[in-house]
């Protein structure tokens, strides 16, 4: 990292792109058997808790991937 501002900008960019992913991209869907297995293994009360965790992790992962791809493209092709 070159500046403290860029260090601050990285997590903010990941969260913002994760939010945009929530609006544009579908989240994964599990089958009934896999859902029950995951609920038992993580000791969850209902399916809502499982999908809350899945949605949060899914969109943060997508946001991080989008952020690093956009940052790579910007640094490679557009930065003067």
């Amino acid at each position: 990292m070159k500046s403290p501002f860029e260090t601050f900008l990285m997590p903010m960019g990941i969260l913002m792109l994760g939010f945009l992913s929530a609006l544009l991209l579908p989240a994964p869907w599990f089958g009934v058997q896999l859902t029950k297995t995951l609920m038992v293994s993580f000791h969850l009360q209902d399916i809502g808790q499982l999908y809350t965790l899945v949605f949060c992790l899914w969109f943060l992962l997508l946001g991080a991937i989008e952020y690093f791809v956009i940052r790579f493209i910007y640094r490679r092709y557009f930065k003067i």
Side-chain angles (χ1 to χ4, degrees), residues 27 46 59:
D46 61 352
F59 294 129

Side-chain angles (χ1 to χ4, degrees), residues 37-66:
T37 305
L38 289 173
M39 285 178 53
V40 170
S41 64
F42 290 123
H43 306 289
L44 300 173
Q45 298 294 322
D46 61 352
I47 295 175
Q49 288 180 337
L50 175 68
Y51 278 105
T52 299
L53 292 173
V54 168
F55 288 156
C56 289
L57 294 174
W58 176 252
F59 294 129
L60 284 176
L61 176 72
L62 288 177
I65 290 170
E66 290 172 6

Side-chain angles (χ1 to χ4, degrees), residues 6-74:
E6 191 173 351
T7 304
F8 174 74
L9 194 60
M10 183 185 302
M12 293 298 121
I14 289 172
L15 289 174
M16 178 136 159
L17 288 171
F19 175 72
L20 292 174
S21 295
L23 297 175
L24 300 174
L25 298 172
W29 181 81
F30 305 124
V32 176
Q33 188 63 32
L34 182 59
T35 301
K36 289 181 182 179
T37 305
L38 289 173
M39 285 178 53
V40 170
S41 64
F42 290 123
H43 306 289
L44 300 173
Q45 298 294 322
D46 61 352
I47 295 175
Q49 288 180 337
L50 175 68
Y51 278 105
T52 299
L53 292 173
V54 168
F55 288 156
C56 289
L57 294 174
W58 176 252
F59 294 129
L60 284 176
L61 176 72
L62 288 177
I65 290 170
E66 290 172 6
Y67 175 80
F68 287 113
V69 166
I70 290 171
R71 189 179 83 169
F72 172 77
I73 291 171
Y74 174 75

